Amino acid sequence: MSSSTQATAGNDQIPEGPSADTAAVPLEIIGRSPRQLAWLRFKRDRTGVICAGIVGAFILIAIFAPLICALYGKNPYTLYGQNDNLLNSYGMPIKPNGGIDSNHWFGIEPGLGRDIFALLMYGIRTSLGISLCVTILSVALGVLVGLIQGYVGRKTDYFLGRLTDLMMSFPQQLFFIAFTPVVIALFVKPTEQEPTYIRFFALVLVQFFLGWMSVSRLVRSQVLSLREREFVEAAQLTGASTWRIVSKELLPNIGSTILVQTTLLLPVNVTTEAGLSYLGVGMQDPTPDWGLMFQKAAEYYQSDITYMFFPGIAMLIFVVAFNLLGDSVRDALDPKTIR
Amino acid sequence: MLRFLVRRVLGAIVILLLISAVTYFLFFALPADPAALSCGKNCNPQTLALIRKNLGLDEPVPVQYWQYMIGIFLGRNMTIGHCSAPCFGYSFASQQPVWSTLMNRYPTTVTLAAMGALIFLVIGVGLGLISAARQGTAFDKIASAVSLTGQSVQIYFIGPLAIYLFADTLGWLSRGHDPDWTHDPVGSITGMILPAMVMSVIFWSNYSRQTRSLMVEQLSEDHVRTARAKGMTSRYVFMRYALRGAMGPIITIFGMDLSSVFGGAIITEYTFGLHGLGQLAVSAVTQTDLPLEMGVMLFGAAAIVIANIIVDACYAVIDPRIRLS
């Protein structure tokens, strides 16, 4: 991969940096922390910087969706197509290419006639919000379980390890599909109308339940090797408390693993959440959601294929950018890994 | 080898029992009333009482679970009638035995998963092998770009596009239909080509990347260099020495991916309108058909666990060290 060659090239350049500096300013060697070195390596990786920009743009869209849509002058709930007679008698946009014009940049939705641009902005907000919660919770629990397993060891390690195995052998997708309604039924009686935040909460909970194991396994294996290292033994000898050893000696050393895992998990969670909504068990209309857009678009792809491209290409860009960013972050943090 | 298999099978049985228990308790022991859940929005007290009686909800949950497990292995008498050996109960929606519904539906999912896996193994490993043989060339770069894009697309995005392009516009392939192996074996395969291709796309990149890096690693090993030094042709060394070393980890990755393959099959079935287990699971959930959901869950878990044992056995055949440990 090109990014790996760039990263190794970047790695080779690192030792030259200080020597060039010492040539300019004699008798002074600039010390850099590993974090600064990683940041320098990352800044040299053009793919990584561009992808970080794209990912940042998506996060900004998620945060400022209402502001963007207010500036754009549309909202994702109004049925513009029906109100302004932009749909024909079959519910299809009258204008070509899905009704794209200066008023509706990405066209209008067939059937209901909502504005696709506004739907997409709000949809990204919903999907990214859910996935971000899932990712943060999963990583937090994964790190906790992994630390306990690795540091306490013995029977605790064994039982938590078997628990992880058990959780990993659940058919994930089936589990998500089956238990989202069960969790919702926990809070809402079947006869009542459920509030949207309950569904949000249920989706987070269900995905989080089966989302933490990969992180805990990685953290466990890292902690197992770290706790045999001299600096941890030294800390133990000097009488440092467990909390101090964990927070000052172990956590900083697995920080890069956690960061890389987070960047890898988030796009997976986004696509899983969108997949659930697509299957009809995630978010429900009229809440705008990335996955629901695919469901709607799949209904109309034969007569209006344009609709499919907006959520589809947006998601493609998002996932590609995130994956490449994950690679760059890994290269920057740990230049030794050769893929 | 036998001892290895016995140990794996015993472990699998324990895992399956645990999964069934966890699933059952989550379904039936949560404070939400499963009878009310299965009754749906237009529910009256009579149907509620009937469902409660049919489900045996007047019993404590462990007793219900015990009866459920007895039903699976020995069969049990239910209010609707006797339900013979693999008894997963009766569906709320169709009143059919869950087992016969599962038996009707599983060939579609298995065909889809098997064909999809075959396609992504051939394409993924193939791309990886050629990339490893031609490191740094244009092919290497294009292959990695293609597989990165493949990894990042979604079945629910490219599925409709593929139907639109290959089935509706060009007419090259069938839109996808359920296989019928007894009456139409050829049609079973051709009807699955498009869905299996679409499903395989998201798996290419992992295999091509892993194969490439494993092969690159293997090619720098001492035994490979020795083989080269003895004067063997590069092709022979590549295929016989390096590939064999790379196969083991690839099979391990495949075993870990089985669950995702099943997950991919669910979305593919839904997209292509195929009537497999995934589509069954989704419709069971939308109809809040608990026995059917439970049946699909357990069947899916069992299928993945069994497939994992087969994968492990293959790994043990290729790498004898696994058997001894």
Side-chain angles (χ1 to χ4, degrees):
Chain A
M1 277 213 41
S2 58
S3 61
S4 79
T5 52
Q6 278 170 10
T8 44
N11 187 23
D12 294 336
Q13 284 159 15
I14 292 291
E16 290 168 16
S19 66
D21 288 340
T22 45
V25 189
L27 298 172
E28 195 183 352
I29 295 166
I30 298 172
R32 290 190 175 111
S33 71
R35 198 174 296 168
Q36 285 172 315
L37 286 174
W39 177 241
L40 277 178
R41 273 194 294 266
F42 183 76
K43 276 199 295 189
R44 286 212 188 91
D45 187 354
R46 204 188 302 149
T47 327
V49 172
I50 293 172
C51 290
I54 296 173
V55 165
F58 272 97
I59 292 171
L60 287 180
I61 287 176
I63 298 172
F64 294 113
L67 183 69
I68 294 169
C69 288
L71 289 175
Y72 171 63
K74 306 280 185 302
N75 70 62
Y77 303 103
T78 311
L79 310 178
Y80 296 100
Q82 293 179 9
N83 299 344
D84 305 345
N85 289 324
L86 296 170
L87 300 172
N88 62 21
S89 51
Y90 301 104
M92 289 300 143
I94 293 172
K95 293 193 178 169
N97 300 320
I100 296 177
D101 61 12
S102 56
N103 238 336
H104 301 281
W105 295 351
F106 287 180
I108 51 171
E109 184 191 35
L112 289 174
R114 293 179 290 186
D115 184 85
I116 293 178
F117 182 79
L119 272 179
L120 186 61
M121 296 296 121
Y122 272 89
I124 291 173
R125 183 182 165 91
T126 318
S127 298
L128 219 55
I130 294 178
S131 325
L132 211 59
C133 292
V134 174
T135 311
I136 291 170
L137 286 173
S138 314
V139 170
L141 183 67
V143 170
L144 184 70
V145 173
L147 272 174
I148 295 175
Q149 272 188 284
Y151 195 70
V152 180
R154 294 165 190 274
K155 279 195 173 153
T156 322
D157 181 24
Y158 179 81
F159 284 114
L160 284 174
R162 297 293 78 73
L163 180 72
T164 315
D165 285 348
L166 174 67
M167 303 287 266
M168 284 188 111
S169 49
F170 269 101
Q172 276 203 345
Q173 196 90 30
L174 264 183
F175 184 90
F176 296 152
I177 294 172
F179 283 104
T180 312
V182 175
V183 174
I184 290 169
L186 248 179
F187 302 105
V188 190
K189 288 191 188 117
T191 45
E192 283 173 9
Q193 192 65 38
E194 68 191 45
T196 307
Y197 71 89
I198 290 285
R199 205 161 257 276
F200 186 99
F201 182 66
L203 282 170
V204 170
L205 199 68
V206 169
Q207 285 189 62
F208 159 58
F209 190 75
L210 287 188
W212 52 271
M213 292 89 69
S214 60
V215 181
S216 86
R217 285 209 162 169
L218 264 177
V219 170
R220 172 185 175 267
S221 66
Q222 293 229 323
V223 172
L224 274 183
S225 66
L226 278 176
R227 66 172 225 199
E228 306 298 325
R229 298 274 289 273
E230 288 85 351
F231 63 89
V232 178
E233 281 176 4
Q236 281 167 338
L237 274 178
T238 54
S241 66
T242 309
W243 170 247
R244 197 195 148 78
I245 292 173
V246 167
S247 62
K248 295 277 178 189
E249 315 287 347
L250 296 179
L251 271 181
N253 279 299
I254 54 174
S256 57
T257 313
I258 298 172
L259 188 61
V260 171
Q261 277 303 304
T262 313
T263 54
L264 292 178
L265 261 181
L266 188 69
V268 174
N269 288 336
V270 168
T271 55
T272 311
E273 190 276 334
L276 287 177
S277 298
Y278 168 74
L279 292 174
V281 291
M283 299 307 281
Q284 305 284 317
D285 255 347
T287 312
D289 183 274
W290 218 339
L292 274 179
M293 295 186 77
F294 286 102
Q295 193 192 38
K296 276 277 168 185
E299 268 174 48
Y300 293 104
Y301 74 91
Q302 278 164 313
S303 32
D304 182 11
I305 192 104
T306 332
Y307 185 8
M308 198 69 174
F309 283 107
F310 292 108
I313 289 177
M315 189 171 275
L316 181 63
I317 294 172
F318 175 78
V319 180
V320 167
F322 239 109
N323 283 333
L324 288 177
L325 178 67
D327 288 348
S328 301
V329 170
R330 179 167 36 200
D331 290 340
L333 288 172
D334 185 8
K336 281 173 291 186
T337 45
I338 302 162
R339 275 172 295 115
Chain B
M1 186 68 191
L2 190 67
R3 268 189 63 189
F4 168 80
L5 274 180
V6 168
R7 206 171 58 220
R8 289 291 287 115
V9 169
L10 286 179
I13 291 173
V14 172
I15 286 275
L16 279 179
L17 281 177
L18 284 172
I19 287 184
S20 72
V22 171
T23 317
Y24 198 92
F25 282 78
L26 282 177
F27 263 137
F28 290 94
L30 281 176
D33 184 0
L37 196 67
S38 63
C39 208
K41 292 228 153 61
N42 38 10
C43 184
N44 57 46
Q46 285 88 356
T47 33
L48 199 66
L50 184 73
I51 288 171
R52 216 167 249 146
K53 191 159 175 289
N54 283 353
L55 279 173
L57 288 174
D58 32 355
E59 310 264 10
V61 176
V63 176
Q64 291 176 40
Y65 173 67
W66 177 247
Q67 284 173 347
Y68 186 82
M69 293 315 281
I70 293 280
I72 291 176
F73 291 106
L74 302 171
R76 67 196 263 212
N77 288 313
M78 300 190 70
T79 25
I80 301 181
H82 182 72
C83 168
S84 55
C87 171
F88 287 85
Y90 285 85
S91 150
F92 288 154
S94 65
Q95 305 300 328
Q96 295 294 310
V98 170
W99 180 248
S100 67
T101 318
L102 290 175
M103 285 296 102
N104 282 334
R105 298 299 189 88
Y106 89 91
T108 304
T109 309
V110 170
T111 312
L112 179 62
M115 277 181 67
L118 186 72
I119 293 173
F120 74 64
L121 280 179
V122 168
I123 293 181
V125 174
L127 280 179
L129 286 179
I130 303 174
S131 297
R134 310 206 190 299
Q135 283 169 54
T137 60
F139 181 91
D140 188 12
K141 295 202 174 88
I142 292 170
S144 80
V146 165
S147 56
L148 176 74
T149 319
Q151 182 192 27
S152 308
V153 295
Q154 303 306 315
I155 293 171
Y156 38 80
F157 173 41
I158 54 167
L161 295 187
I163 301 176
Y164 187 78
L165 181 64
F166 294 111
D168 294 353
T169 311
L170 297 171
W172 290 352
L173 293 161
S174 136
R175 296 175 58 100
H177 54 76
D178 294 319
D180 181 4
W181 288 103
T182 42
H183 297 108
D184 185 13
V186 178
S188 303
I189 292 177
T190 53
M192 276 293 175
I193 291 178
L194 195 57
M197 285 291 289
V198 165
M199 192 184 93
S200 74
V201 171
I202 56 171
F203 294 97
W204 292 356
S205 98
N206 195 12
Y207 290 88
S208 66
R209 279 167 82 163
Q210 298 281 359
T211 311
R212 184 182 179 280
S213 67
L214 284 167
M215 286 300 284
V216 168
E217 200 177 292
Q218 284 290 321
L219 286 172
S220 63
E221 292 268 329
D222 289 346
H223 72 274
V224 171
R225 198 182 48 210
T226 311
R228 288 287 255 289
K230 282 196 293 186
M232 289 174 171
T233 61
S234 332
R235 179 185 294 265
Y236 190 85
V237 171
F238 192 81
M239 297 309 277
R240 281 301 179 88
Y241 283 67
L243 181 58
R244 180 150 187 185
M247 256 359 253
I250 291 172
I251 289 177
T252 314
I253 299 165
F254 180 66
M256 294 197 299
D257 261 1
L258 280 172
S259 172
S260 334
V261 172
F262 193 66
I266 294 176
I267 293 190
T268 313
E269 280 168 18
Y270 189 81
T271 305
F272 284 83
L274 302 170
H275 298 90
L277 291 174
Q279 195 267 349
L280 188 68
V282 174
S283 65
V285 167
T286 43
Q287 293 170 328
T288 50
D289 195 340
L290 278 182
L292 196 55
E293 275 174 50
M294 182 79 197
V296 179
M297 250 324 255
L298 284 187
F299 195 82
I304 292 171
V305 167
I306 292 168
N308 252 317
I309 295 180
I310 297 174
V311 168
D312 278 357
C314 292
Y315 195 6
V317 168
I318 288 182
D319 189 344
R321 283 172 302 181
I322 301 296
R323 274 173 285 179
L324 300 173
S325 67

